[in-house]
Amino acid sequence: MSNSDTNLSAWEKMQRDMVYDDFDADLFNRRVAAKTIFKQYNKTTDEQPELRRSLMEQLFGSVGENVYLEPDFICEFGKNIFIGHDVYINFGAVFLDCSRISIGNHVLIGPNVGMYSANHSLDPDERAQGALIGGRITIGDKAWIAGDVKIMAGVTIGEGAVIGCGSVVTHDIPPRTLAAGNPCRVIRPITEADKVGFVK
């Protein structure tokens, strides 16, 4: 580690996916700020779209148009979450964004989906002192993440991929594939034969 690296704050190290102190006081305050916003969001109703939009803009790093986020939603910082256009996030999502979580356009996310970008140190002594390094999660355009899926740090879900219910995704999933299981594995490509005639 260079001298310049040692001068970086925990938040700055987090943005660079460097090892940082998860117990840092500034990070604690940022988590409290995020909780204040998402707890307020979770008390809103479908009849308050303007308030919901305002709260999402305060919470997230960026949020596109036509984003529907169902309560109860939980995140760690919020500011490391970037959401595209025409995205639906179902009930009970938990996004631990100690690294960047990027969600593309036209993405469907089922209920109780977890995205966990955290990697605590495997060494118990380091872990007890707060050592953590994030791994970015990327969800490609038109992906569908079904209910109860868990996505681990460093994973990219390719464009148009479908992840089956209850999967634990520990490795990248190629575009336009159907994948499922624990650990999640590609089952087969998604092809023209999968069309049901809805789009002419």
Side-chain angles (χ1 to χ4, degrees):
M1 181 179 294
S2 68
N3 289 335
S4 60
D5 290 343
T6 60
N7 294 329
L8 295 174
S9 69
W11 178 257
E12 290 168 331
K13 290 177 180 178
M14 177 191 294
Q15 302 313 304
R16 292 163 172 78
D17 291 329
M18 299 167 59
V19 178
Y20 67 87
D21 179 4
D22 197 39
F23 302 152
D24 178 78
D26 174 57
L27 298 187
F28 176 85
N29 292 333
R30 290 174 185 267
R31 291 186 186 98
V32 170
K35 288 176 188 176
T36 299
I37 298 171
F38 74 64
K39 286 180 179 179
Q40 185 177 354
Y41 186 95
N42 289 337
K43 293 178 181 178
T44 64
T45 68
D46 292 335
E47 289 72 37
Q48 298 173 293
E50 295 86 1
L51 176 57
R52 283 186 167 182
R53 176 70 195 185
S54 174
L55 291 169
M56 283 193 290
E57 290 176 349
Q58 294 173 51
L59 182 61
F60 297 133
S62 68
V63 57
E65 298 301 320
N66 300 316
V67 172
Y68 296 91
L69 173 66
E70 301 284 8
D72 287 327
F73 173 77
I74 296 172
C75 64
E76 189 167 2
F77 300 101
K79 292 301 183 184
N80 291 326
I81 299 172
F82 298 81
I83 303 173
H85 304 297
D86 303 301
V87 173
Y88 180 76
I89 302 171
N90 215 322
F91 302 99
V94 177
F95 294 175
L96 300 186
D97 59 309
C98 63
S99 186
R100 185 183 180 107
I101 296 176
S102 299
I103 298 170
N105 302 316
H106 303 284
V107 172
L108 296 177
I109 297 175
N112 303 314
V113 166
M115 298 190 192
Y116 309 138
S117 68
N119 275 315
H120 297 277
S121 175
L122 291 179
D123 179 83
D125 296 322
E126 289 184 340
R127 190 167 59 249
Q129 295 300 313
L132 190 148
I133 183 168
R136 300 182 178 211
I137 294 173
T138 302
I139 311 298
D141 293 348
K142 298 182 182 178
W144 172 22
I145 314 299
D148 295 297
V149 168
K150 310 305 175 189
I151 300 175
M152 303 297 106
V155 164
T156 294
I157 307 295
E159 176 268 334
V162 175
I163 310 300
C165 283
S167 298
V168 178
V169 190
T170 59
H171 295 91
D172 292 353
I173 302 299
R176 292 184 175 269
T177 56
L178 172 64
N182 181 8
C184 188
R185 294 182 175 88
V186 173
I187 297 172
R188 63 174 177 83
I190 296 171
T191 70
E192 290 295 310
D194 291 303
K195 291 186 180 296
V196 295
F198 185 75
V199 176
K200 303 300 183 184

